Amino acid sequence: MFDEPYRWIDAIHQRRDYIAEQLDRATPVVGISVSEGILLASFHRQNPKIYELYDRIAMGGIGHPADLETVRGILLNMAHVEGFQRSSTDVSIERLALFGLAPRLKAAFEDVSAPPIILDVLLSEVGKTGRDDRFIQVSFDGNLQRATEMMVLASTEEMEEKMTGLLRDRIPAGERTLAKVLPVVSRVFMDILFSPEELGMDESGNLLSPEKFSECESRLFEDRQWEGALQDRNAPARIKKVPYSGDKSK
Amino acid sequence: MERMRALRIDKEGRGGFVPPNTGYFPDLLKQEGSYRQVRIHEKGPVSGAAHGTTILAFHFRDGVLVAGDRRATASNRIMSNRVDKVLEIDDSALLAISGSPAMALEMARVLDHSLKFYRRSQLTEISLEGKVRILAQLLKENLPMAVEGIGAVVPLFVARDPATGAVRIYFYDILGAHFEGVEFSVGGSGSPEVQGILRYLDRWNPRPLREMSREEAIVLSLRLLETASYFDSATGGVDSQDPIWPVIKLLTPGTLETVDERTIAEIYRNEVMRVR
């Protein structure tokens, strides 16, 4: 069936379109370096998206829950075996992504005879200082992207760029503490998930109707749950839950 | 049964069915070929294997004190006077090791990874009984090394029960049988004297062990270890020229504290050395 090259290429294109379509409705996952560590945040409907993988290392993912679980299992096994055999400091997201996950996802993506793996993954590694924090995104086709300060995992590049831009514009200058960043992240989710009209804002982003904004926030929590986690750089062996910090006044 | 299994992608990216992850880390290590039992088929104890210790744990007013000396010996040789035998497994569990340091430290490492692996893979904390059972399983798997005479490990396990907050002491035999040490437990070659003193104090002292204050408990642990080192050459004492202090940790319903060396030194000088 796929013995002719163009048929295989055609199948790959269809596969890519199919996976992109499946990921289309996913709520983004944000990873952002703060003074206290790394904040990971998202909303989910049914299944959590943010998980602790190993000391200093966490993952966020969008996609099919069963595929996320598969990948989570692979990464957990690899990290713990490697950490046991050598040292916990030898386990890094670079090694997990480059040697553990990317080759498998690429092979799975290109095996058009098998069902596709539907997911994108964000790996985060908290360092001793903010300068040491690392993010890697591994796509369903095995492609890697790296970042240091923050990373948004979303279904499209446009969404990632928009959200990253909003975060960069709105996070106050100076020391980037969790207390400063969390309300901004919460608010940016509102701007991503609802249109300005729904939020009661004009074209310039001024809030005209706080009632409409509150209504959107209530709707958001009716069918989704907030998921916030801090990878504490002073206690990196266990992620901590971070409560939602909406700001209805703006 | 087949439907109960989970899909996994292998190293080549192919889908395949493998048994679901049980969260039991030693199984994963065995699957990866990283945890093998060693048998040497030699009769009797092998000279050169390091052993000898005194470890102790007892209840006091706030929780449980766990202490251990720092010496490792091999036959009549002192291998090290700086071994940490009281290990933090997580923020609610301590493992005090006696016996073969090589096997005991490996066991502590497996246990540490096992608890973290369980929590991260199963997305829930393991129960206290579950922790106790993992260590029992590791001891059972170590039996060949124990009967060879070079790898016996007899640990004390002290952990906070997440359901009640109570701190409990467990002791084991080399086969993995585990028992709760209601008031105290001891281990290692220097333990007979310590066990006798603890039993005496708990039974006939005006106040039982559980009513001792934090400072009284620390003083007692230092005196017990000093007594053990007096009778047992494999238990390290405190060298006045180059003091190496015992490790003392306190696990309470809300905290896990390592008693700092300055405090130990001060108490040792005032309450152990100068008192007759």
Side-chain angles (χ1 to χ4, degrees):
Chain A
M1 183 180 172
F2 301 111
D3 50 351
E4 293 171 56
Y6 80 90
R7 285 183 188 272
W8 183 83
I9 291 168
D10 193 40
I12 283 287
H13 278 302
Q14 284 186 27
R15 196 174 175 86
R16 188 178 292 279
D17 291 345
Y18 171 73
I19 296 172
E21 192 182 302
Q22 294 295 307
L23 292 173
D24 194 40
R25 291 181 63 235
T27 309
V29 178
V30 172
I32 184 162
S33 178
V34 294
S35 313
E36 296 88 341
I38 290 177
L39 169 68
L40 292 167
S42 185
F43 281 90
H44 72 259
R45 285 191 171 83
Q46 293 290 332
N47 299 290
K49 295 174 172 178
I50 296 168
Y51 298 98
E52 179 182 321
L53 279 183
Y54 195 69
D55 300 0
R56 301 172 289 108
I57 295 174
M59 84 171 239
I62 56 173
H64 196 288
D67 290 338
L68 274 178
E69 191 54 29
T70 301
V71 162
R72 190 176 79 87
I74 289 169
L75 294 172
L76 271 171
N77 290 359
M78 185 179 167
H80 283 79
V81 169
E82 188 161 322
F84 176 80
Q85 288 172 331
R86 301 182 188 97
S87 160
S88 62
T89 54
D90 291 320
V91 182
S92 67
I93 57 170
E94 188 70 29
R95 291 177 59 76
L96 291 175
L98 199 58
F99 307 134
L101 196 53
R104 293 181 198 203
L105 286 180
K106 181 178 186 295
F109 175 66
E110 292 178 349
D111 180 5
V112 289
S113 63
I117 305 287
I118 301 165
L119 56 71
D120 284 332
V121 172
L122 167 67
L123 299 174
S124 59
E125 180 178 325
V126 67
K128 286 182 180 162
T129 69
R131 279 195 295 276
D132 305 319
D133 292 347
R134 296 284 179 272
F135 299 96
I136 297 181
Q137 191 182 127
V138 190
S139 303
F140 58 82
D141 57 2
N143 267 315
L144 300 176
Q145 286 182 57
R146 296 173 178 81
T148 50
E149 202 178 328
M150 71 170 75
M151 188 170 242
V152 174
L153 175 68
S155 55
T156 62
E157 270 183 44
E158 294 73 37
M159 175 74 90
E160 285 176 5
E161 281 169 13
K162 183 181 174 188
M163 207 161 174
T164 306
L166 288 173
L167 287 166
R168 283 194 198 286
D169 290 347
R170 293 182 185 175
I171 291 172
E175 191 187 1
R176 195 187 277 178
T177 61
L178 182 64
K180 277 186 190 173
V181 169
L182 191 56
V184 176
V185 171
S186 304
R187 176 60 200 267
V188 167
F189 269 108
M190 295 296 291
D191 288 321
I192 290 293
L193 297 171
F194 296 96
S195 67
E197 295 77 33
E198 286 176 303
L199 290 171
M201 287 164 35
D202 65 13
E203 288 173 357
S204 308
N206 300 310
L207 186 61
L208 303 177
S209 169
E211 296 78 23
K212 278 191 172 181
F213 191 95
S214 294
E215 192 189 323
C216 285
E217 214 167 28
S218 302
R219 269 169 51 203
L220 177 64
F221 279 91
E222 273 172 21
D223 63 346
R224 289 183 174 93
Q225 285 183 52
W226 164 257
E227 216 178 333
L230 177 72
Q231 292 176 264
D232 190 334
R233 58 180 95 257
N234 294 319
R238 185 189 286 261
I239 62 172
K240 293 173 181 165
K241 284 189 178 176
V242 175
Y244 177 75
S245 169
D247 189 346
K248 295 178 186 177
S249 65
K250 291 178 184 171
Chain B
M1 186 64 191
E2 202 63 22
R3 278 182 299 175
M4 298 286 285
R5 294 181 170 188
L7 182 69
R8 188 175 101 154
I9 42 175
D10 65 16
K11 285 177 183 169
E12 282 73 47
R14 293 175 306 227
F17 286 95
V18 295
N21 191 342
T22 61
Y24 187 56
F25 187 60
D27 279 351
L28 175 64
L29 289 178
K30 285 174 200 160
Q31 188 182 307
E32 299 287 330
S34 304
Y35 189 61
R36 297 193 187 95
Q37 297 301 328
V38 181
R39 295 205 68 172
I40 56 168
H41 301 290
E42 186 169 326
K43 281 187 178 176
V46 178
S47 62
H51 60 84
T53 280
T54 298
I55 50 172
L56 58 94
F58 59 82
H59 284 273
F60 68 106
R61 193 170 57 204
D62 302 333
V64 170
L65 178 148
V66 189
D69 77 302
R70 307 286 296 276
R71 178 168 289 176
T73 56
S75 190
N76 63 331
R77 304 291 300 173
I78 297 168
M79 303 300 291
S80 172
N81 268 327
R82 294 178 186 274
V83 179
D84 287 342
K85 300 172 187 173
V86 184
L87 309 168
E88 291 180 22
I89 300 301
D90 59 24
D91 57 7
S92 67
L94 293 168
L95 182 70
I97 53 174
S98 69
S100 161
M103 302 312 297
L105 291 171
E106 179 83 343
M107 220 171 268
R109 195 166 167 72
V110 175
L111 185 63
D112 170 44
H113 271 70
S114 295
L115 300 188
K116 285 180 181 168
F117 184 72
Y118 184 92
R119 172 166 58 82
R120 290 166 179 157
S121 65
Q122 308 300 301
L123 302 175
T124 184
E125 295 286 345
I126 195 168
S127 65
L128 175 58
E129 183 62 21
K131 290 179 183 178
V132 171
R133 283 292 306 150
I134 289 179
L135 184 54
Q137 193 69 25
L138 295 175
L139 285 163
K140 193 172 151 191
E141 289 170 5
N142 186 54
L143 187 61
M145 290 295 280
V147 297
E148 296 282 5
I150 59 168
V153 177
V154 187
L156 300 179
F157 186 62
V158 177
R160 192 186 299 132
D161 187 342
T164 63
V167 182
R168 300 185 186 282
I169 306 170
Y170 293 90
F171 61 98
Y172 293 75
D173 70 8
I174 60 166
L175 290 163
H178 50 282
F179 311 94
E180 184 171 356
V182 177
E183 298 303 330
F184 60 86
S185 283
V186 295
S189 53
S191 65
E193 291 78 17
V194 172
Q195 189 175 32
I197 296 167
L198 282 170
R199 160 70 180 149
Y200 180 90
L201 289 176
D202 196 47
R203 177 69 179 82
W204 288 287
N205 216 34
R207 288 187 302 140
L209 296 174
R210 274 185 195 263
E211 290 182 17
M212 275 190 305
S213 68
R214 177 182 179 279
E215 185 167 346
E216 286 171 332
I218 295 170
V219 170
L220 175 61
S221 68
L222 289 170
R223 288 178 178 173
L224 290 170
L225 288 172
E226 201 273 344
T227 305
S229 71
Y230 184 83
F231 290 106
D232 175 37
S233 63
T235 296
V238 176
D239 183 345
S240 57
Q241 301 300 313
D242 179 22
I244 299 164
W245 306 104
V247 174
I248 303 175
K249 292 182 189 279
L250 310 172
L251 185 62
T252 73
T255 59
L256 170 55
E257 177 195 350
T258 301
V259 181
D260 65 272
E261 290 199 341
R262 188 179 295 179
T263 304
I264 294 177
E266 191 181 328
I267 293 176
Y268 190 87
R269 289 191 187 104
N270 293 333
E271 302 289 343
V272 180
M273 287 175 72
R274 293 177 189 160
V275 177
R276 292 200 61 82

